[in-house]
Amino acid sequence: MELNRRTVMAGAAAAGIAATTLGGTAQAAASGSRKPVKELFGKLADGTKVYRWSLENGGTRLKVLSYGGIVQSLEVPDRHGRYKNVSLGFDHIEDYVAKSPYFGALIGRYGNRIAKGQFTLDGKKYQLSVNDGVNSLHGGAKGFDKHVWDVEPFTKGSDVGLHLYYTSVDGEMGYPGTLKAKVTYTLDKHGDWRIDYEATTDKATVVNLTSHVYWNLAGEGSGTIEDHELQIAASRYTPTDSGLIPTGELAKVAGTPFDFRHAKAIGRDIRAGHPQQVQAKGYDHNWALDKGVTAKPEHVATLRDPRSGRTLKIFTDQPGLQFYSGNFLDGTLVGTGGHTYRQGDALCLETQHFPDSPNHANFPSTVLRPGQTYRTTTIHKFSA
C-alpha cells in the first residue's frame, strides 16, 4: 500500500528511526526546510572551484554541484522511514569530468541526439559538435553538463531551492544564437523536487533542456532495477535506426515490449528480442506522451520499487519521455556508495521534446526565436 509522505514521516519520527546515510533521524528531516548549505566539492584542472549545495525539505535531501547542475545525491525514505540515496553519482569531481555518463546532469543545448549533428533552420544549415559516432548527443562534446553554472540559493515561503544560470555563446558547439539559460531546483514542504527551465536567445536556435538523473529507488549500488515497476502514459514511441536516431515513425506500443500503459516490471519484457531492443541493448527510446505539449505539468509516469515501497511520480508539460534502462553501464564505474555500477543498475526518465526534432517536421518544434522565452517544468513526487 502506498502511504502519503507526511504519514510516513510522522510514523518515522514517532519511532525515532535513524537515517542511514547523512546521519540524524527522520524526525529531523520531517521538521521542514533548511537553508541551502554551500561547501567546496573540488577544483577543475584550470583551478575553477566547484561547489556542492545541500538542500533539505519535506523529507527529501538533495545535493547539487555547480558543475553541470549535477544532482550528486537525492535521498528519500522507504516505507519504514529509512533513508537511501536513490541517484547514481561520484564522490570526486575528477570522476565527473573524466568518466561520467551524464550522471545527474543538466543537459543542453539539446537533450538527446541530432542526426549527423546537422539541421537546417530558416534555410541555413548548421553543423554541430559530433560526439556519439556520427551524431551529436546531449549538446555535443562540451554540453551544458560540462560547464560550471552560477548558483543562487533561495528560500521562499516553505520552499527551498537553487537558481542556476549559464550563458551559451553564439556558435558554442555549433548552435546559433547566444542562449541565456536559467534552471530552478525547488524542494517544497512535501519533499517534491521541481525543475523549472527557462531560456532566451538573440538569434533563432533550437533548444531542448532536460535532467539526466539515473534512478534506483532501492538505493544506488544496490543492484538491478529490473524489478522496478514502471508505467508510462504513452500509446506510441519513436523507433530508431542503428545510431538510435528516430526514423520519424510514431509506432504503437500495443502488442510490443514498449507497452508500459499499465505498470509492469521493467525486466518482464526487456529480453523479449524485439529488434528495437536488440539494437539499443534494452530500452533507450522516446515515448510520445498521449497528452502532448500541455500548459501545465501533468502526470506521465510512475516508477515504484516493490522492496522499499519508494515511488516516484513524474509530472511534465513536455511531449516526450526518454526511458533509458542503463544499458551501457559496464561495471567500470564506482559510485558514491563504493559499489560498481553494472548494466541495468539504474534507469533514466528524461522529460523532453523528441530526439532529432529539428530534422522531423512531424515532431513538435524545438525552435526558439528572439523575443520568445523557452519555459518548461518537470515535477518529481516521492512517496513510500
Side-chain angles (χ1 to χ4, degrees), residues 133-160:
V134 299
N135 303 316
S136 183
L137 173 65
H138 294 332
K142 192 174 182 180
F144 287 9
D145 60 294
K146 297 177 178 66
H147 290 274
V148 174
W149 292 58
D150 293 326
V151 182
E152 176 185 292
F154 71 88
T155 55
K156 182 179 180 181
S158 59
D159 294 343
V160 59

Side-chain angles (χ1 to χ4, degrees), residues 142-254:
K142 192 174 182 180
F144 287 9
D145 60 294
K146 297 177 178 66
H147 290 274
V148 174
W149 292 58
D150 293 326
V151 182
E152 176 185 292
F154 71 88
T155 55
K156 182 179 180 181
S158 59
D159 294 343
V160 59
L162 304 171
H163 297 304
L164 300 100
Y165 302 90
Y166 176 68
T167 297
S168 175
V169 298
D170 183 23
E172 184 174 284
M173 297 294 105
Y175 287 91
T178 294
L179 189 84
K180 294 183 177 180
K182 175 186 178 183
V183 179
T184 301
Y185 290 164
T186 303
L187 288 183
D188 70 13
K189 64 182 179 180
H190 303 300
D192 298 340
W193 175 40
R194 176 180 176 125
I195 310 177
D196 292 291
Y197 305 87
E198 296 180 29
T200 59
T201 184
D202 62 359
K203 186 186 297 185
T205 190
V206 294
V207 60
N208 186 28
L209 306 183
T210 190
S211 170
H212 209 291
V213 173
Y214 283 68
W215 301 103
N216 185 322
L217 297 183
E220 67 82 34
S222 64
T224 183
I225 46 80
E226 290 191 12
D227 58 349
H228 282 38
E229 297 166 352
L230 178 63
Q231 177 270 332
I232 303 174
S235 302
R236 296 177 183 271
Y237 77 105
T238 53
T240 65
D241 64 17
S242 60
L244 302 183
I245 297 292
T247 62
E249 179 187 5
L250 293 173
K252 293 181 179 180
V253 302

Side-chain angles (χ1 to χ4, degrees), residues 34-55:
R34 297 183 181 181
K35 184 177 180 181
V37 176
K38 177 183 179 183
E39 61 183 322
L40 182 65
F41 184 73
K43 294 182 180 180
L44 302 181
D46 64 2
T48 302
K49 294 180 179 179
V50 174
Y51 293 97
R52 179 171 65 182
W53 293 87
S54 299
L55 301 79

Side-chain angles (χ1 to χ4, degrees), residues 103-126:
F103 283 158
L106 286 176
I107 302 298
R109 183 177 302 196
Y110 197 97
N112 221 303
R113 295 172 174 87
I114 294 181
K116 298 180 180 179
Q118 297 176 351
F119 67 92
T120 299
L121 179 59
D122 295 338
K124 183 176 180 179
K125 187 174 182 178
Y126 292 93

